[in-house]
């Protein structure tokens, strides 16, 4: 039978994908495949979507990507893709792809904030950006220029953005949307281990006996990993157990041996219940069993506590927008709890060991990272409230579930963790991270694993799964958070700043030590009139932030200039004053780092569409507009120094001149086209450059006119290799070792630290981690582990209610920490007016705000709109039917959504789930912008709403 061209190509792609995973292919189909592919060029790359880090193979022909398949050589996915992964090519070819800069203008061709978008040149775009950035600097200093950064940046893009912002503009107001997805996990790592990133890896799945998911719908959010979990379950169904701990039933629950539906926020209590079972049943805790591995604890662990009255990361009294009355009385009902709250009957017993009881007024101090050393007896005291009775009463999330059956589930859960020789892996994602006590609940997971010596061992460990493709590799490891520098260094640490200044070739004293403008503070600073210039990079900051109406109104109505770089006109682009067309993932060279510390690189496969250019190129072009004189004079900061004088950054121009720079030397020449950068040569006859486009370095056949109005012929050196190698230099020899740039183009990624060419599977374990082995040897320890992270390892001593400064500090070298942390209510809970919990999240077919996936016809047809998933009894009680539209309303706003009572997500009575991918069902207008006060990560998983017929 003859095949038309479309079927011919589809057959070829299907045959190629089938053969990749070992499926036998009919001979006629294989022949068609071979014929179709004879002119195709296949190359490896990383998937554009989640933090799993799947490897894919891309086929290009005639300057376009024509096929995608899973990479059978990739150790993460082993030839499989999820449904989104197979459409990696189609995300780049949507009908409304941005192809030229767009500026709001009036009829005279002048910028007008209330004008309509009209095409402009790159030169005009950068003219406007330069003008408004300089105005912002003049009005507010470095804190007036901000960037909404991304966990979807390539490593090189994030590093370029960080250099321009922190070394150039001297501004730490750069923070990624990764703040929304795993900042709580980061602070949990820092507080527990003294260093960021997981100790385990995906290999744990095939080794473990038990998988416990905590607030993680792995079946839809990490489907390739879930396929590995499913395979592990099927390999030994009787031995391998799966427990799912969630606020509603979903697809991950389908193969669960135990499914626990808990009331929002009470995962804190559940972790403490398991810890109580461990401690109270252990002989040293007063029980009759040998449960706790005391040799491991005594050698490696200390017990710690911190303050409970840390607030909820909301606006505080006296902030300008509150004083100006921009928040309604209804909103203030919740925001007022940031200053003080009444201890409830539900949380009272949990807080008693910390000095509070039911009915007390708790006056909150903004979240602090401070903590101190306590005794095991104090830790035991903190666990006493979490009896089975108390825990079951507050934790049970399904009002229709029998309380005695629920108690049996809790006991079975604790028994699985405690069982000798049973390996256990605890996975979580946004359920534990997007949480007003997200840092606390992350640390509580390690408590359980540490006491049982089931952490940093093959098949054992608590493991935070990341949401974005390079939230680990770029946001965390590169350091594009407001408070960080590369390789776990911090802007507040003078030694860290000095090292960065030396590597970047800038004067001592250039870097700003104040790093507090996290992503929600940037939004709030725009609303307060401090930030006058903001640039959205590789994210959709105006759709992905809670209390969204506030930030959109501030962007559109206040005196500021908002720029968005994107591939498509999402909500952020529509809110902006200037829109820049960005090259998408396979239109540029790049690298990502996934959730198991695996760094992966790819080459540019095709030219960008239209006049789109990469974000790296955009940052380099922008940096050409600013000189030493423009940026490195004395600069004001908010607040007072220790002497009561206004804070400021010193003038470093004279020092810059001593270094050989001139007043008119541009940031481009200092940060990019410097002696070190220029040493990385372009060689199109050398691997990995041979045969591949490189628009950033060489220009390309499109002959795009650049920021100076001339043809963009590229920077003339291998900037991708330079940026990667310079960034990598920060971590080599410091536990973050990366392989050379060229190596990554030969392999399917490597898990750092990469020492002597070998990757590390289990960190902190002396058998597998060279840094742990070295630390143990240097200290003379014979322990199996060394928790060598350096942060917060010198602590005061105290008890549950506070530190005792008279006792001095105690060094904790190579130690990890167990934290005493109580259950607390979230700041907003259902009441008579807003009687239902709202939870948001994702669905399998769509990625984040849907900017890419909603433009893939197959994915759009599969799930064309966001639904309000609701229990049938709740729908009936409210007079609603499946398929009808309803208003979902909170104290902040309302949206219409279609009711679904039979879908894949099955909430208990009293809770609804609405995903956030659909800009027409703009659910983040409804959500509360409360955060974990320690990590500043927003809690999208719980607020109070009413549901009414539309």
């Amino acid at each position: 039978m003859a095949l038309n061209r479309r079927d011919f190509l589809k057959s070829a792609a299907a045959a190629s994908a089938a053969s990749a995973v070992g499926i036998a292919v009919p001979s006629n189909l294989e022949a068609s495949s071979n014929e179709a592919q004879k002119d195709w060029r296949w190359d490896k790359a990383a998937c554009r979507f989640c933090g799993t880090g799947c490897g894919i193979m891309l086929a290009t022909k005639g300057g376009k990507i024509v096929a995608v398949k899973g990479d059978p050589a990739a150790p993460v996915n082993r030839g499989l893709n999820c449904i989104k992964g197979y459409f990696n090519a189609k995300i780049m070819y949507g009908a409304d792809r941005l192809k030229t800069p767009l500026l709001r203008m009036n009829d005279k061709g002048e910028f007008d904030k209330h004008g309509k978008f009209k095409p402009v040149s790159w030169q005009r775009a950068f003219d406007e950006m330069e003008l408004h950035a300089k105005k912002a600097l003049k009005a507010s200093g470095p804190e007036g220029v901000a960037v909404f950064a991304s966990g979807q940046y390539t490593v090189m893009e994030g590093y370029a953005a960080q250099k321009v912002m922190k070394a150039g503009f001297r501004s730490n107001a750069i923070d990624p949307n990764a703040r929304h997805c795993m900042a709580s996990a980061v602070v949990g790592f820092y507080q527990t281990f003294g260093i960021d990133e997981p100790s385990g890896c995906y290999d744990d799945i095939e080794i473990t006996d038990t998988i416990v998911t905590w607030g993680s719908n792995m079946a839809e959010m990490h489907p390739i990993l879930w396929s590995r979990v499913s395979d592990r379950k099927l390999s030994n169904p009787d031995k391998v157990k799966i427990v799912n701990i969630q606020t509603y039933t979903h697809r991950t629950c389908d193969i669960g041996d135990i499914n626990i539906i808990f009331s929002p926020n009470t995962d804190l209590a559940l972790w403490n219940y398991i810890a109580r079972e461990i401690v109270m049943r252990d002989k040293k805790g007063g029980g009759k069993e040998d449960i706790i591995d005391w040799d491991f604890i005594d050698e490696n662990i200390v017990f710690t506590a911190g303050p409970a009255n840390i607030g909820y990361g909301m606006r505080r009294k006296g902030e300008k927008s509150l004083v100006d009355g921009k928040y309604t009385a209804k909103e203030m009902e919740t925001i007022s709890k940031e200053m003080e709250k009444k201890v409830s009957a539900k949380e009272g017993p949990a807080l008693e060991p910390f000095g509070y009881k039911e009915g007390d007024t708790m006056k909150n101090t903004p979240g602090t990272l401070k903590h101190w050393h306590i005794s095991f007896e104090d830790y035991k005291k903190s666990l006493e409230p979490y009896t089975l009775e108390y825990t079951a009463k507050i934790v049970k999330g399904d009002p229709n579930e029998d309380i005695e059956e629920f108690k049996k589930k809790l006991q079975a859960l604790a028994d699985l963790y405690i069982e000798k020789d049973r390996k256990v892996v605890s996975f979580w994602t946004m359920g534990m991270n997007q949480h007003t006590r997200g840092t606390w609940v992350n640390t509580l997971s390690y408590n359980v694993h540490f006491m049982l010596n089931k952490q940093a061992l093959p098949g054992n460990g608590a493991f935070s799964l990341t949401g974005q493709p390079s939230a680990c590799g770029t946001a965390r490891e590169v350091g594009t958070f407001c408070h960080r520098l590369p390789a776990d260094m911090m802007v507040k640490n003078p030694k860290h700043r000095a090292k960065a200044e030396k590597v970047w070739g800038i004067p001592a004293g250039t870097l700003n030590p104040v790093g507090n403008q996290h992503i929600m503070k940037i939004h709030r600073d725009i609303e307060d009139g401090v930030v006058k210039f903001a640039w959205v990079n590789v994210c959709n900051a105006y759709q992905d932030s809670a209390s969204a109406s506030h930030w959109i109104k501030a962007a559109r109505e206040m005196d500021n200039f908002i720029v968005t770089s994107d591939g498509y006109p999402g909500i952020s682009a529509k809110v902006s004053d200037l829109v820049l067309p960005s090259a998408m993932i396979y239109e540029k060279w790049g690298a990502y780092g996934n959730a198991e510390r695996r760094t992966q690189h790819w080459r540019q496969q095709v030219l960008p569409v239209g006049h789109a250019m990469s974000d790296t190129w955009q940052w380099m072009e922008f940096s050409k507009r600013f000189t030493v004189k423009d940026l490195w004079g004395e600069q004001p900061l908010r607040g007072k120094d220790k002497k009561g004088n206004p804070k400021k950054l010193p003038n470093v121009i004279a020092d810059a001149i001593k270094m050989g720079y001139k007043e008119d030397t541009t940031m481009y020449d200092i940060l990019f086209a410097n002696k070190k950068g220029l040493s990385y040569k372009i060689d199109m006859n050398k691997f990995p450059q041979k045969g591949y486009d490189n628009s950033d370095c060489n220009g390309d056949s499109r002959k795009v006119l650049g920021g100076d109005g001339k043809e963009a012929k590229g920077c003339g050196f291998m900037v991708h290799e330079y940026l990667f190698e310079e960034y990598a230099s920060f971590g080599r020899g410091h536990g973050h070792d990366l392989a050379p740039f060229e190596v990554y183009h030969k392999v399917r990624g490597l898990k750092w630290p990469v020492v002597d060419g070998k990757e590390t599977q289990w960190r902190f374990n002396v058998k597998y981690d060279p840094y742990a082995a070295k630390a143990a040897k240097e200290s003379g320890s014979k322990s199996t582990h060394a928790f060598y992270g350096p942060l917060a390892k010198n602590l005061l001593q105290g008890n549950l209610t506070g530190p005792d400064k008279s006792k001095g500090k105690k060094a904790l070298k190579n130690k990890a920490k167990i934290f005493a942390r109580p259950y607390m209510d979230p700041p907003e809970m259902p009441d008579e007016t807003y009687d239902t919990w709202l939870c948001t999240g994702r669905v399998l077919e769509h990625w984040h705000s849907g900017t890419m996936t909603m433009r893939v016809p197959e994915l759009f047809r599969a799930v064309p709109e966001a639904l309000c998933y609701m229990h049938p009894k709740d729908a009936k009680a409210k007079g609603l039917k499946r398929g009808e539209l309803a208003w979902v309303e909170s104290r902040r706003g309302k949206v219409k959504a279609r009711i679904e009572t039979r879908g894949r997500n099955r909430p208990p009575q009293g809770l609804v789930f609405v995903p956030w991918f659909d800009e027409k069902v703009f659910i983040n207008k409804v959500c509360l912008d409360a955060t974990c006060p320690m990590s500043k990560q927003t809690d999208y998983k719980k607020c109070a709403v009413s549901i009414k017929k539309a």
Side-chain angles (χ1 to χ4, degrees), residues 351-367:
L351 285 168
E352 280 193 20
F354 295 83
Y356 298 93
K357 62 181 184 300
E358 179 187 348
D360 283 354
T361 296
M362 178 182 282
K363 294 188 180 294
N364 292 321
T365 302

Side-chain angles (χ1 to χ4, degrees), residues 318-387:
E319 291 186 13
K320 190 174 188 303
S321 291
L322 294 187
V323 174
D324 291 348
K326 292 183 179 180
Y327 289 76
T328 67
K330 285 185 177 180
E331 288 177 293
M332 291 306 299
E333 289 174 1
T334 301
I335 293 172
S336 65
K337 294 176 184 176
E338 176 62 25
M339 279 57 79
E340 64 179 46
K341 57 162 286 179
K342 290 282 187 185
V343 175
S344 74
K346 186 175 181 179
E347 64 191 350
L351 285 168
E352 280 193 20
F354 295 83
Y356 298 93
K357 62 181 184 300
E358 179 187 348
D360 283 354
T361 296
M362 178 182 282
K363 294 188 180 294
N364 292 321
T365 302
T368 175
L369 300 177
K370 292 180 180 178
H371 53 280
W372 48 88
H373 187 283
I374 62 171
S375 67
F376 169 70
E377 289 303 318
D378 279 327
Y379 176 65
K380 178 184 173 183
K381 181 180 177 183
S382 78
L383 298 176
E384 287 174 357
Y386 301 98
T387 62

Side-chain angles (χ1 to χ4, degrees), residues 245-478:
I245 301 169
Q246 320 290 346
T247 57
Y248 62 94
T249 303
H250 44 59
R251 285 177 172 173
T252 300
C253 301
D254 291 348
I255 62 170
D257 294 283
I258 302 172
N259 293 315
I260 294 172
I261 304 301
F262 70 94
S263 179
N265 237 52
T266 62
D267 44 359
L268 291 156
L270 190 47
W271 276 116
N272 277 323
Y273 162 74
I274 299 169
R276 185 186 189 278
E277 285 291 295
I278 293 168
V279 168
M280 301 302 178
R281 285 164 55 178
D282 185 77
K283 287 179 180 177
K284 199 167 180 178
K288 299 180 179 180
E289 302 174 64
D290 291 314
I291 294 176
I292 298 175
D293 187 332
W294 283 106
D295 289 339
F296 174 82
I297 294 292
D298 292 341
E299 185 72 30
N300 298 292
I301 305 297
V302 296
F303 296 91
T304 53
N309 60 328
I310 59 175
Y312 301 99
M314 296 182 286
R315 280 194 175 275
R316 291 192 62 80
K317 184 178 180 180
E319 291 186 13
K320 190 174 188 303
S321 291
L322 294 187
V323 174
D324 291 348
K326 292 183 179 180
Y327 289 76
T328 67
K330 285 185 177 180
E331 288 177 293
M332 291 306 299
E333 289 174 1
T334 301
I335 293 172
S336 65
K337 294 176 184 176
E338 176 62 25
M339 279 57 79
E340 64 179 46
K341 57 162 286 179
K342 290 282 187 185
V343 175
S344 74
K346 186 175 181 179
E347 64 191 350
L351 285 168
E352 280 193 20
F354 295 83
Y356 298 93
K357 62 181 184 300
E358 179 187 348
D360 283 354
T361 296
M362 178 182 282
K363 294 188 180 294
N364 292 321
T365 302
T368 175
L369 300 177
K370 292 180 180 178
H371 53 280
W372 48 88
H373 187 283
I374 62 171
S375 67
F376 169 70
E377 289 303 318
D378 279 327
Y379 176 65
K380 178 184 173 183
K381 181 180 177 183
S382 78
L383 298 176
E384 287 174 357
Y386 301 98
T387 62
L388 182 60
E389 290 294 328
Y390 172 68
T391 304
K393 180 181 178 182
I394 70 168
V395 170
K396 188 169 78 75
D398 181 354
N400 298 314
E401 184 171 10
D402 179 78
I403 187 69
E404 296 305 319
E405 291 301 312
F406 187 74
K407 288 178 183 177
K408 291 178 183 177
K409 290 182 181 180
L410 301 190
Q411 289 174 311
L413 172 66
D415 288 343
L416 284 173
Y417 273 103
I418 291 170
E419 183 183 330
K420 290 287 185 184
D421 300 322
R422 171 172 284 278
K423 297 182 178 71
V424 185
V425 174
S426 303
F427 283 123
W428 67 90
T429 320
M430 298 308 121
M432 275 174 52
N433 290 344
Q434 292 175 343
H435 196 304
T436 52
R437 291 295 182 267
T439 299
W440 286 11
V441 76
N442 268 262
T443 60
L444 293 180
S445 70
Y446 301 117
N447 293 359
V448 167
H449 282 267
F450 280 150
M451 286 192 289
L452 301 170
N453 192 6
K454 295 184 179 183
Q455 181 68 32
L457 288 164
N460 277 310
F463 195 119
S464 168
L465 294 171
T466 312
Q468 297 188 82
S470 203
C472 291
T474 306
R476 293 159 78 168
E477 294 159 28
V478 170

Side-chain angles (χ1 to χ4, degrees), residues 792-860:
K793 290 294 183 76
N794 196 23
L795 297 184
L796 289 169
Q797 300 174 66
N799 56 33
L800 294 175
T801 59
D804 183 349
K805 295 181 180 179
S806 67
K807 292 184 178 179
K809 291 187 175 182
K810 187 176 181 179
L812 309 170
K813 189 175 183 181
N814 292 338
K815 303 275 190 180
K817 301 166 194 166
I818 284 176
F819 280 89
R821 281 173 166 159
Y823 164 74
M824 288 188 70
D825 295 336
E828 188 171 273
M829 302 171 74
D831 56 22
E832 289 184 6
T833 305
Y834 303 98
D835 60 354
T836 302
W837 288 108
L838 168 67
C839 178
T840 66
R842 294 200 286 115
V843 294
L844 170 66
E845 295 82 356
H846 289 295
W847 169 247
H848 280 200
S849 60
T851 311
M852 295 179 289
T853 52
M854 287 288 273
R855 286 164 170 86
V856 176
E858 293 86 347
L859 297 177
F860 176 79

Side-chain angles (χ1 to χ4, degrees), residues 157-175:
E157 288 169 344
Y159 187 65
Q162 175 173 220
K163 286 185 77 173
V164 177
M165 283 296 288
K166 293 178 180 176
F169 284 103
R170 311 175 78 182
S171 173
N172 292 324
I174 173 172
D175 209 58

Side-chain angles (χ1 to χ4, degrees), residues 191 297 653 753 913:
Q191 293 225 315
I297 294 292
I653 294 175
F913 173 77

